[in-house]
Amino acid sequence: MEFIYYFGDVFSPLSFMLLLGGTIGGLILGATPGLSPTMAVALLIPFTFQLEAAQGLILLGAAYTSTVAGGAVSAILLKIPGAPANIATTLDGHTMAKKGQGAKALQLSFLASAVGGVFGVLLLIFLTPVLSDWALAFGPSHLFWLAILGVTVIGSLDSASVVKGLLSGCIGLWLATIGFDDIMGAQRFIFHPSLGGGINIIAALIGLFAIPQVLTMFAKGRQVDGAEVIEVQKHSVLAATRELIRWPRALTIGTLTGSIIGLIPGVGGQIAGLVAYDQSKKFSPEKDKFGTGHPEGVIAAESANNAMVGPSLVPLLTLSIPGSPTAAVLLGGLLIHGIFPGTDLFDNHPDVAWTFINSMLIGQVLMCIFGLYVAGLAARVAQVPQSVMAAVVLSLSVFGAYSVQSSMGDVYVMACLGLGMFFLERFGFSAAPLVLGLILGPIAEANFTQGSMIANATVGQASYFFSGPLNLFLIFVVIASIAYSVWMELRSRRTTTKEEALA
């Protein structure tokens, strides 16, 4: 219970001001397309040079937490995920916004984020020594099978057909191979100088989700009769809280999934949100409602991506292994102040470690309060005429793609991917499986290559990849996931055939 001793340090005037500033700034940065949590934290690093170590980490931790949650704003209102972690939020959140339920979707997302985030930080506080040993158990073979598990999720994710979902994922896996091989250094599919560094995930994310939407808006032209004007429904925080309590299954699945996946180094919140969404859909008795504006989808996705934040710091603080790209930037923030994370961090610098962790716990509450306050105002974005909205979304897309690396090449890649996705959607393909394939491709390839090198030097590939309880468990889950997706589609087709026969 040592953390209680340092709880008051968070409420010192300067520390609390930094916590407030980081939370509000993180929400704004998170809602801006193209500014991922990693970039937001990196931008704030220079502001910590003159601060004490604990105060600097408070600012960075608050920005990390609120940026992940803030990405839901643009995901719900504009169908542009503010960060990769918010991909799954677009699947139901944006549909709710188009029905005039934007305020409800935002309130549910912030409430779910707070529940998941608080649970994740509590895990960080109470179970750090145990969880650090568990995180260290994941080697290249386990991470490879985990990535394959993510690929099997593709089949039923936001797609009416398992085959089309898997094909979309395969396209994403192919796109992930473009550029230089990280292990061997070989060139692959570099058709243009802009592709030399591969496809940037943020540019791809904006292109695949935003550009098809912009093209659809422009195709409709100006709506003179106002038929497309959406009436925004008011929704109280109390009603949103009751709605959250109505879906304990989605909240539990999202929180537990995010906590477990956050602990695994190198996986990230984008995988947590998508896996939680998929599992909530599979266990829900109302599977058909997912993708049509169902609150369960928003709750599962947002509780998962924020529950990931706390556990992702366990490997960093105890083993000096960053659990995510953002954690790697936080490691830089620690090293700047001469603090080296590891097993003795809590012995040599308990004031820094516990003040930072406590601030993240309080930051989750502040993030929820500010998010709920702006939810009703932000939802009015849905009333903007489509002709104006299309121009705004296109401008934000170009800005977001360019700002990542200050490269027009990323803008060209974004435009090409968006145009291709616009035509693919006409044939029933979906952007979410494609993006998931693009994210998982490098993880699967890098860990397979590393695992093969280790296997060739030790026990051989068959024994390395297909033995051990954790490997066997992951293989079983992969097979079960594929079988379940196929069975659900066959059952859905039989039901549709019977209904047509009776009609």
Side-chain angles (χ1 to χ4, degrees), residues 47-416:
F47 294 94
T48 68
F49 291 164
Q50 302 302 319
L51 298 173
E52 295 179 4
Q55 294 170 343
L57 284 175
I58 286 174
L59 178 63
L60 300 179
Y64 181 16
T65 298
S66 55
T67 306
V68 173
V73 176
S74 58
I76 291 170
L77 300 180
L78 304 177
K79 203 183 177 182
I80 307 176
N86 306 108
I87 295 169
T89 310
T90 63
L91 304 180
D92 281 289
H94 184 64
T95 310
M96 291 179 70
K98 290 197 292 186
K99 294 178 180 178
Q101 299 175 352
K104 176 181 176 180
L106 286 170
Q107 288 168 350
L108 287 174
S109 73
F110 284 116
L111 287 170
S113 292
V115 173
V118 168
F119 183 83
V121 177
L122 289 176
L123 281 182
L124 176 62
I125 291 173
F126 292 108
L127 299 177
T128 293
V130 177
L131 295 179
S132 63
D133 294 337
W134 191 77
L136 200 59
F138 276 82
S141 64
H142 310 119
L143 293 176
F144 167 74
W145 285 117
L146 196 64
I148 297 301
L149 174 61
V151 174
T152 65
V153 169
I154 290 171
S156 58
L157 188 66
D158 192 33
S159 180
S161 166
V162 172
V163 175
K164 287 182 179 179
L166 290 172
L167 282 174
S168 295
C170 289
I171 294 172
L173 290 172
W174 170 69
L175 291 174
T177 65
I178 294 176
F180 285 90
D181 178 5
D182 290 338
I183 305 294
M184 303 297 180
Q187 288 189 2
R188 301 180 302 191
F189 307 111
I190 300 179
F191 311 115
H192 188 274
S194 300
L195 299 173
I199 293 179
N200 182 272
I201 184 59
I202 299 298
L205 195 64
I206 295 171
L208 293 169
F209 281 98
I211 300 303
Q213 184 186 7
V214 169
L215 293 175
T216 302
M217 289 178 180
F218 281 136
K220 289 181 179 179
R222 184 183 292 272
Q223 298 291 335
V224 180
D225 57 2
E228 292 292 321
V229 175
I230 298 172
E231 181 181 349
V232 177
Q233 302 172 14
K234 293 184 178 180
H235 200 262
S236 69
V237 175
L238 185 60
T241 306
R242 291 198 197 100
E243 187 84 14
L244 187 74
I245 296 172
R246 275 187 59 200
W247 309 107
R249 184 191 308 104
L251 189 62
T252 303
I253 290 174
T255 301
L256 293 178
T257 302
S259 299
I260 293 170
I261 291 181
L263 185 63
I264 303 169
V267 178
Q270 57 269 27
I271 310 302
L274 288 164
V275 171
Y277 182 91
D278 175 74
Q279 295 305 308
S280 295
K281 181 179 179 180
K282 286 177 177 175
F283 283 101
S284 174
E286 300 176 316
K287 299 175 180 63
D288 296 338
K289 291 185 178 180
F290 278 76
T292 64
H294 192 37
E296 267 194 288
V298 176
I299 292 169
E302 285 301 309
S303 59
N305 62 36
N306 242 42
M308 173 273 311
V309 172
S312 72
L313 298 177
V314 171
L316 169 69
L317 297 178
T318 59
L319 304 171
S320 300
I321 302 171
S324 66
T326 313
V329 179
L330 286 172
L331 174 61
L334 280 167
L335 296 178
I336 286 170
H337 291 279
I339 296 175
F340 296 87
T343 53
D344 58 351
L345 173 65
F346 291 87
D347 294 328
N348 296 339
H349 304 281
D351 55 331
V352 175
W354 288 119
T355 303
F356 169 53
I357 294 173
N358 289 335
S359 73
M360 292 192 69
L361 189 62
I362 299 166
Q364 296 285 353
V365 179
L366 293 176
M367 173 273 297
C368 184
I369 293 171
F370 286 115
L372 292 173
Y373 177 75
V374 302
L377 299 173
R380 297 183 181 275
V381 168
Q383 292 183 316
V384 177
Q386 286 206 356
S387 56
V388 177
M389 181 62 74
V392 172
V393 172
L394 183 59
S395 301
L396 286 172
S397 300
V398 173
F399 165 76
Y402 180 80
S403 64
V404 179
Q405 300 179 116
S406 300
S407 169
M408 281 302 297
D410 286 338
V411 178
Y412 301 147
V413 170
M414 174 204 72
C416 292

Side-chain angles (χ1 to χ4, degrees), residues 17-44:
M17 283 178 60
L18 290 169
L19 183 60
L20 283 175
T23 301
I24 297 172
L27 286 172
I28 296 171
L29 291 173
T32 305
L35 293 179
S36 65
T38 305
M39 186 183 298
V41 174
L43 289 172
L44 291 174

